[in-house]
Amino acid sequence: MPTTARHLADHRPSAGTLPPRATASSDAPAMSLNGTWRFRWAPTAHEGTDGFWRESFDDSAWAHLPVPAHWQLCGYGAPAYTNIVYPFPLDPPRPPAENPTGEYRHVFSVPVGWDGHRVVLRFDGVDSQFTAWLNGTELGFATGSRLPSEFDVTEQVRLGERNVLAVRVHQWSAASYLEDQDMWWLSGIFRDVTLLARPVGGIDDVHVHATYDHRTGAGGLRVDTVGAAATRVVVPELGIDAAAGEEIHVAAVEPWSAETPRLYDGEVVTEAERMRLRIGFRTVEVADGLLKVNGRRILLRGVNRHEFHPDRGRALTEQDMIDDVLLMKRHNINAVRTSHYPPHPRFLDLCDEYGLYVIDECDLETHGFELEDWRANPSDDPAWREACLDRMARMVERDKNHPSIIMWSLGNEAGTGANLRAMYAWARDRDPSRPVHYEGDHTTVCSDVYSRMYAPHAEVDAIGRRAEEPLDDPALDAARRAKPFILCEYAHAMGNGPGGLLEYRELFERYERCQGGFVWEWIDHGVRTRDASGREYFGYGGDFGEPLHDGTFIADGLVFPDRTPSPGLVEFAKIIEPVRIAADPDAGTVTVTNLRDFADTADLSFSWLIEEEGHEIARGDLDVPVVAAGESVAVPAPAQPDTHGDTWLTVRATLAKDTAWAPAGHEVAWGQVRLAAATSSPTGVAPVGAARIDPPGVGPASFHPDTGVLVSLGGIETEGPRLEVWRAPTDNDSVQADSPAASWRKVGLHRMRHRTDAVEVDGTAVVVRTRVAPAGRAFGLNATYRWTGVSDDAVRLELDVEPDGVWPDLPLPRLGLRLAIPASFDQVSWYGYGPGEAYPDTRQAARMGRFTTTVDGMQTPYVHPQENGHRIDVRRVELTDAHTGAGIGFDGDPSFGFTVRRWTSEALDAAAHPVDLVRSARLYVNLDIAQHGIGSGSCGPGPLPRYVLRPRAAQLAVVFRVIAAR
């Protein structure tokens, strides 16, 4: 048995490691040990290689593996995904016998110039437990996968000679019981490995205390150091040159906030070392029942961020981190919760520099114990106390100097218990400058804020009024009511959605206590995968042979795995835009409201555009004075032109100059208002020509004599339209056991039967009477189609729908028409809302205009195929052949919802991955009266009542037009 096996069931977090300290940039020598290492993988801990740590061991037959990396993503074992349940038996602290183990060897040399230095070996992240040897000497072992571990190797390292570093990593250990986060189980050395030369007289640790007095504008600075006695603090821009530990008063400083991330460059200096500081003066407190930064209530427009890349898992590059930060800033996000572990330290540097508030979360989650009613939960077991406190200390000490961090978090979904209370007490004592967060204990005895997950809108409203359900203990209840409220998770961004964001924002703005929250989550964790034919897709739970998994629940982000923004992110950006623009045509004004907490609008330019029927009429700049944070101003609107069509004014706020996170011209906010409606309905014209009965037809339209469906329009072959109530369920429709989709399938809405009762002529119209109902059920829908010719190349359809029978209490997925047309008509242009998809409760980012794309461009490639691509309130659409220009147009009276794709809703429903979708010989067009809302029901509330589509009487009027070839 390998010698390291003795540690696998050890409650202790580590042995042989150095005390935790801050990550800092120093001029002392350092060398990266990242690169290609020798590697051997074994399926169990018992099959490890005896003596592989010896210098003389021959590893020439071993494979190569990059460091940092996860071995499962390099062909050793496979990734596995569970959300709550542990993928091994719960028998703490024992790990399973099936314990994959990776053995690493790396040879390096150290400069002779390091002579006289203390040498430290640093691992920034190893999952889940590892033991290290240098030149045959065991250094110790460590756990805490997302936390650094350092070893003093001064006695083991040889300068100018060959050094052999050997590391054995176990996938499972006692520590795995503390790391049950909702993510892929991935192992190995996945963060940087570094060798540090620590000079005699150097700085062992540094702690920056930088405060801001919002009443006077003054700053306070004290920099504490550990190590050398004669240490000075130098901040040239502020004229500071003082001893470490000295309290320094600065009469005037520019404060740090997420909106104005002002950093001052400084150094702590000894004769042996200079350590760089990035100082942000800011103060965080809970006061007057509110979370405040620099004396002001802030609103958190945040996301939960796992570290992930589709090829590298949690082994992120700096560019990956920059990409995340830039995308967040460009989509108006101002806060990140580092779910559910401390991130790579470089990410926090970027949050300091670019401006993002951070809740830094400890690497602790024991969620799977919930399935056992929290019996033996490590959070309340004294045997785990040292490990829990160790994780908290290592996070706080590593990250304490980041101004972006405004709260520490004890962890996530770890139940309740004495160890959490001890972690809270330790953090408050070590760093009283920051509040502490924890959601899992709703008494808030170990949290300075009241935090919840997925509270529905009505409950948030009650909490905002401090009228939530009381606790049994009056003292605890009063203490909780006095605390600010945040939603540490809400709006589950799984697949199509989330819906209901607007109504959450309205609650955050209505109640001071409700200070925003963090959408779950930032990124879909889809692993880049190929099928047997080489077609690429993003894999989720179950795609890698896992016997136990949670399927698609891993794909629940605002960006796709390749970091392409989803429609959900575009919607979120609109809803949380920091400037609100509203126009009043009657008053002739445009009102600009600055929703920022600190910054004015001096960085923004404003412009306007007037369009008639989507065609530009006029444009110009809007003269808006600088608006202070929290203030509004009304300015004259541009003169309204004389138009006869549908006329809209759009006002945009864009960056006036390049910033660190976006170029000049980047759109920050926009507002749109209708100036004038069309003077006449485009489809309200008198019928032209008589209807035909044998065969049925009117104008350019011909119908099937038995079914009454449209079979030809001006010689173009068609199929339908027929009444459609089904949509391929979204994740929000279907993930939970009691989901709407389960009810839909139970009653048969996915397999509706169509019956034609009559095909007849009524003067100038062909009238088709039908009934649509599920097999085995007595309820259904009566649909009457009335077709009239309106020109030689156009026909008008008036659809009337009436529920029939006693419908069960359930929503309809959609209500509208579906027809098939030739696949060559794949060029799409429309006048209506766009450019992206929109649904009843996800439409704030859609604006009125004229848009052009292709049928393929109309699709949203969700990791798990589902209803997508719907454009809302479309007035007119044309589908044409790119080569001939021929096609079909649809004109609404006044509008309809529009979807077009190369496969049916049934095929979309059946697909597990986008590569399963096969193009058909037709395009399938949906013209909707309405769709059911999206909501957040995959892990949260479903659609609000106003967005629920109930069976009801409804009408739709559309003109079908033949578009002639060019």
Side-chain angles (χ1 to χ4, degrees):
M1 178 183 293
T3 59
T4 56
R6 69 182 184 271
H7 301 315
L8 290 177
D10 199 330
H11 286 98
R12 293 181 302 156
S14 62
T17 57
L18 294 169
R21 63 192 181 96
T23 300
S25 175
S26 165
D27 67 350
M31 59 182 291
S32 172
L33 298 185
N34 294 352
T36 301
W37 292 32
R38 286 288 186 176
F39 179 76
R40 178 185 178 274
W41 181 85
T44 71
H46 298 279
E47 297 176 69
T49 308
D50 188 42
F52 84 100
W53 53 83
R54 297 189 183 102
E55 293 180 74
S56 59
F57 180 83
D58 182 5
D59 61 15
S60 60
W62 283 20
H64 291 92
L65 194 79
V67 170
H70 295 287
W71 67 58
Q72 290 90 345
L73 301 181
C74 298
Y76 299 93
Y81 166 61
T82 61
N83 172 26
I84 299 174
V85 63
Y86 290 91
F88 50 80
L90 261 67
D91 186 21
R94 300 171 186 85
E98 300 85 356
N99 192 350
T101 296
E103 294 169 339
Y104 297 76
R105 283 172 58 90
H106 186 58
V107 177
F108 61 93
S109 61
V110 181
V112 293
W114 286 26
D115 186 28
H117 291 67
R118 187 167 60 98
V119 182
V120 172
L121 174 64
R122 180 183 180 91
F123 294 86
D124 275 307
V126 184
D127 192 325
S128 74
Q129 186 209 69
F130 73 99
T131 302
W133 293 261
L134 185 59
N135 296 328
T137 300
E138 182 173 333
L139 304 175
F141 79 93
T143 61
S145 296
R146 269 73 52 183
L147 291 162
S149 303
E150 292 186 331
F151 299 91
D152 188 329
V153 296
T154 309
E155 297 302 318
Q156 292 79 28
V157 74
R158 294 192 293 264
L159 305 185
E161 299 181 33
R162 179 178 183 268
N163 292 272
V164 178
L165 175 60
V167 183
R168 175 177 279 140
V169 181
H170 300 288
Q171 177 160 2
W172 310 119
S173 65
S176 300
Y177 288 99
L178 303 179
E179 297 177 2
D180 187 31
Q181 291 97 331
D182 175 13
M183 61 186 181
W184 292 103
W185 295 97
L186 295 170
S187 317
I189 305 172
F190 71 96
R191 285 187 185 159
D192 304 299
V193 183
T194 311
L195 203 65
L196 306 168
R198 304 299 307 132
V200 175
I203 304 156
D204 293 332
D205 196 11
V206 60
H207 192 171
V208 177
H209 308 265
T211 60
Y212 177 72
D213 187 332
H214 65 277
R215 294 172 295 269
T216 65
L221 179 65
R222 188 182 82 248
V223 179
D224 296 330
T225 59
V226 177
T231 307
R232 299 201 65 78
V233 178
V234 179
V235 187
E237 189 176 356
L238 296 175
I240 294 173
D241 185 345
E246 181 181 330
E247 295 283 355
I248 304 166
H249 176 79
V250 186
V253 295
E254 297 175 54
W256 186 97
S257 72
E259 296 168 6
T260 57
R262 180 66 158 93
L263 294 173
Y264 290 86
D265 287 317
E267 289 182 320
V268 285
V269 181
T270 72
E271 290 186 359
E273 183 178 19
R274 305 179 77 91
M275 192 170 283
R276 185 188 183 205
L277 304 178
R278 299 281 279 162
I279 302 167
F281 292 90
R282 62 104 184 92
T283 299
V284 185
E285 61 182 339
V286 173
D288 307 315
L290 301 173
L291 174 65
K292 295 182 178 182
V293 172
N294 299 334
R296 295 189 185 182
R297 170 195 184 261
I298 61 168
L299 184 59
L300 299 172
R301 304 172 176 95
V303 293
N304 286 276
R305 176 186 177 268
H306 268 290
E307 294 187 308
F308 187 75
H309 186 277
D311 302 313
R312 298 186 295 274
R314 288 184 288 279
L316 297 192
T317 65
E318 179 164 353
Q319 189 59 55
D320 297 331
M321 296 179 243
I322 292 172
D323 290 345
D324 282 346
V325 169
L326 294 181
L327 276 169
M328 290 176 189
K329 293 291 291 186
R330 290 169 183 171
H331 288 85
N332 298 327
I333 290 164
N334 74 351
V336 179
R337 176 180 174 227
T338 69
S339 54
H340 298 295
Y341 43 82
H344 191 290
R346 180 60 182 146
F347 179 76
L348 298 174
D349 293 338
L350 297 171
C351 292
D352 295 341
E353 294 166 15
Y354 287 91
L356 288 167
Y357 297 122
V358 175
I359 295 181
D360 198 7
E361 191 146 273
C362 190
D363 192 5
L364 174 66
E365 180 167 338
T366 64
H367 200 174
F369 285 89
E370 181 182 46
L371 303 179
E372 298 294 325
D373 296 323
W374 296 107
R375 288 188 296 272
N377 182 16
S379 297
D380 200 35
D381 184 341
W384 296 93
R385 179 186 175 96
E386 179 189 356
C388 291
L389 285 171
D390 172 81
R391 287 169 181 253
M392 195 68 191
R394 286 159 70 189
M395 174 182 71
V396 171
E397 298 296 354
R398 189 195 78 163
D399 298 341
K400 59 199 171 194
N401 295 328
H402 290 282
S404 57
I405 297 173
I406 59 170
M407 279 194 280
W408 303 115
S409 178
L410 303 183
N412 182 68
E413 293 173 322
T416 61
N419 294 338
L420 291 164
R421 294 192 293 274
M423 292 166 67
Y424 171 81
W426 183 92
R428 292 295 288 148
D429 179 68
R430 177 67 177 115
D431 180 25
S433 73
R434 291 179 177 94
V436 174
H437 165 274
Y438 182 63
E439 183 273 339
D441 187 342
H442 291 171
T443 67
T444 71
V445 295
C446 51
S447 181
D448 297 312
V449 297
Y450 181 25
S451 177
R452 288 289 306 281
M453 294 181 181
Y454 308 107
H457 298 80
E459 186 177 0
V460 174
D461 183 89
I463 292 170
R465 293 182 280 109
R466 302 188 189 270
E468 64 264 32
E469 286 292 319
L471 297 170
D472 293 336
D473 185 315
L476 288 177
D477 184 65
R480 190 181 73 178
R481 288 179 197 275
K483 293 177 180 178
F485 175 75
I486 66 168
L487 282 163
C488 69
E489 294 179 22
Y490 80 112
H492 199 246
M494 188 175 183
N496 188 336
L501 287 169
L502 173 65
E503 290 75 15
Y504 276 116
R505 185 199 76 189
E506 291 171 345
L507 291 167
F508 300 156
E509 293 179 353
R510 183 179 308 150
Y511 300 112
E512 270 199 328
R513 186 190 189 191
C514 297
Q515 294 191 241
F518 300 83
V519 169
W520 186 266
E521 64 168 302
W522 175 241
I523 191 168
D524 287 341
H525 304 205
V527 176
R528 199 185 310 273
T529 309
R530 294 186 184 274
D531 67 7
S533 301
R535 297 176 303 174
E536 184 179 288
Y537 64 94
F538 293 114
Y540 47 74
D543 284 337
F544 304 96
E546 312 101 298
L548 188 68
H549 64 84
D550 285 302
T552 61
F553 214 68
I554 196 69
D556 49 9
L558 289 171
V559 298
F560 296 134
D562 61 1
R563 286 178 166 75
T564 300
S566 77
L569 180 58
V570 177
E571 176 80 353
F572 189 43
K574 171 59 179 170
I575 286 171
I576 62 172
E577 59 189 5
V579 174
R580 193 160 302 149
I581 301 168
D584 185 341
D586 294 332
T589 58
V590 174
T591 299
V592 175
T593 302
N594 183 1
L595 300 168
R596 294 165 166 172
D597 298 317
F598 299 98
D600 61 28
T601 60
D603 61 323
L604 301 178
S605 295
F606 295 84
S607 60
W608 58 268
L609 172 68
I610 295 177
E611 296 172 294
E612 181 182 13
E613 302 290 333
H615 299 290
E616 181 179 325
I617 299 298
R619 68 167 60 237
D621 295 328
L622 190 67
D623 187 12
V624 178
V626 174
V627 185
E631 300 296 325
S632 296
V633 65
V635 300
Q640 184 169 333
D642 183 19
T643 58
H644 302 285
D646 199 32
T647 306
W648 291 75
L649 167 67
T650 304
V651 178
R652 302 171 65 236
T654 58
L655 290 177
K657 299 179 181 179
D658 292 347
T659 69
W661 49 270
H666 168 77
E667 185 176 85
V668 173
W670 59 272
Q672 191 176 58
V673 67
R674 192 180 206 170
L675 297 178
T679 55
S680 63
S681 169
T683 59
V685 296
V688 174
R692 306 178 299 273
I693 189 58
D694 190 16
V698 62
S702 299
F703 306 93
H704 192 283
D706 297 323
T707 64
V709 300
L710 182 70
V711 295
S712 175
L713 184 70
I716 300 171
E717 185 180 350
T718 63
E719 183 182 327
R722 296 204 302 184
L723 191 68
E724 172 94 328
V725 299
W726 184 244
R727 73 181 185 194
T730 67
D731 290 324
N732 284 308
D733 289 336
S734 59
V735 165
Q736 299 302 323
D738 58 350
S739 67
S743 300
W744 298 340
R745 295 186 195 277
K746 182 177 181 180
V747 302
L749 296 189
H750 61 309
R751 47 175 175 78
M752 300 290 274
R753 304 293 179 85
H754 298 259
R755 185 186 75 207
T756 300
D757 292 331
V759 180
E760 55 196 25
V761 168
D762 181 10
T764 59
V766 171
V767 179
V768 182
R769 305 184 194 280
T770 69
R771 186 175 190 272
V772 182
R777 302 288 176 167
F779 56 84
L781 296 165
N782 292 326
T784 301
Y785 305 77
R786 185 177 184 88
W787 297 90
T788 55
V790 294
S791 70
D792 291 341
D793 59 3
V795 61
R796 175 183 173 89
L797 168 62
E798 294 176 353
L799 171 70
D800 282 282
V801 182
E802 289 281 350
D804 181 46
V806 180
W807 274 77
D809 183 20
L810 83 172
L812 290 176
R814 73 173 348 128
L815 185 62
L817 298 171
R818 183 172 89 184
L819 72 154
I821 64 174
S824 63
F825 296 170
D826 61 359
Q827 305 300 298
V828 188
S829 63
W830 76 97
Y831 175 57
Y833 281 91
E837 71 180 29
Y839 292 81
D841 54 347
T842 64
R843 60 174 301 166
Q844 300 309 306
R847 64 186 86 186
M848 180 60 69
R850 189 172 294 271
F851 306 99
T852 301
T853 185
T854 64
V855 168
D856 294 337
M858 293 285 287
Q859 314 310 306
T860 303
Y862 292 111
V863 169
H864 176 231
Q866 57 197 276
E867 165 63 35
N868 72 89
H870 180 262
R871 269 57 176 183
I872 206 162
D873 286 353
V874 171
R875 272 59 164 174
R876 291 183 295 281
V877 64
E878 293 185 347
L879 295 163
T880 57
D881 186 301
H883 302 291
T884 68
I888 296 179
F890 305 96
D891 301 338
D893 189 7
S895 63
F896 50 83
F898 172 67
T899 309
V900 59
R901 51 178 66 105
R902 297 185 183 274
W903 36 78
T904 64
S905 294
E906 292 78 10
L908 187 61
D909 184 10
H913 301 96
V915 294
D916 299 329
L917 294 166
V918 179
R919 293 185 175 204
S920 72
R922 293 184 171 271
L923 299 178
Y924 295 91
V925 178
N926 285 92
L927 307 175
D928 286 332
I929 298 169
Q931 282 225 20
H932 183 57
I934 296 297
S936 190
S938 54
C939 188
L944 287 163
R946 74 193 76 168
Y947 304 122
V948 173
L949 177 59
R950 297 292 179 185
R952 58 178 172 83
Q955 295 78 39
L956 177 68
V958 181
V959 167
F960 290 48
R961 287 186 290 108
V962 178
I963 301 172
R966 291 189 291 266

